[in-house]
Amino acid sequence: MCFSSSPEKHLEHLTEIFNRFRQANLRLNPTKSKFGMAEVIYLGHKLRRHGVSACEDKLEVIRSFHTLKNAQQLRSNLGIANYYRRFVEKISMKTPNLRSLLKRDAKFVWNSVHNQVFEFLKKMLYARALFWLFEHAKTVYLIDRCLLHRNIFHPLTIG
């Protein structure tokens, strides 16, 4: 992925990237490449010009649950919450009551304390807060899956 502050800079960055690919004897598949996108969905995150946020359809799973009925539903929801933990500061310190229901011999009894923590967690996750802003002057590493097992990284400074 390549982020740029303007279309002109984007062309410069793409030229540099293509040159680096040529130097490393790497090829791009044109049918899998997209250019000039305003936003990109990647691994459940929406990447935009101003930062990164969670995909709403992924968070809809948590938002759609009203009252959790069993440990499996709770485990599933905590898994999604953990994946998006960057949205909620110190999430593990805010969910011990929920996690206590997942202990080995714990009986699953949902009460108002659990419900209050779960509702708080849903609201915080669905707030769509930005958790990372792209810094254009940083070094970006191009990693090809084929080269990953040989620890070959191609540093690329974009500024």
Side-chain angles (χ1 to χ4, degrees), residues 13-80:
H13 296 159
L14 287 176
T15 302
E16 180 66 23
I17 290 169
F18 293 150
N19 288 337
R20 298 280 178 110
F21 270 67
R22 266 188 227 101
Q23 291 170 1
N25 291 322
L26 296 173
R27 294 180 184 219
L28 292 173
N29 184 340
T31 60
K32 294 182 179 180
S33 302
K34 295 181 181 179
F35 300 96
M37 305 290 291
E39 67 180 34
V40 176
I41 306 288
Y42 185 73
L43 295 176
H45 295 88
K46 189 181 290 187
L47 288 73
R48 295 181 231 159
R49 179 180 184 180
H50 300 292
V52 181
S53 62
C55 290
E56 291 176 15
D57 60 332
K58 302 292 183 195
L59 296 178
E60 194 62 38
V61 173
I62 289 179
R63 189 176 181 197
S64 66
F65 278 116
H66 298 291
T67 301
L68 300 179
K69 306 266 190 255
N70 56 45
Q72 181 58 39
Q73 288 180 343
L74 176 59
R75 190 175 289 113
S76 175
N77 277 272
L78 286 177
I80 293 170

Side-chain angles (χ1 to χ4, degrees), residues 136-154:
H136 292 281
K138 297 285 183 177
T139 300
V140 176
Y141 290 91
L142 297 175
I143 303 171
D144 186 283
R145 284 184 297 189
C146 300
L147 302 176
L148 194 56
H149 68 281
R150 290 187 270 162
N151 292 324
I152 298 175
F153 301 97
H154 300 281

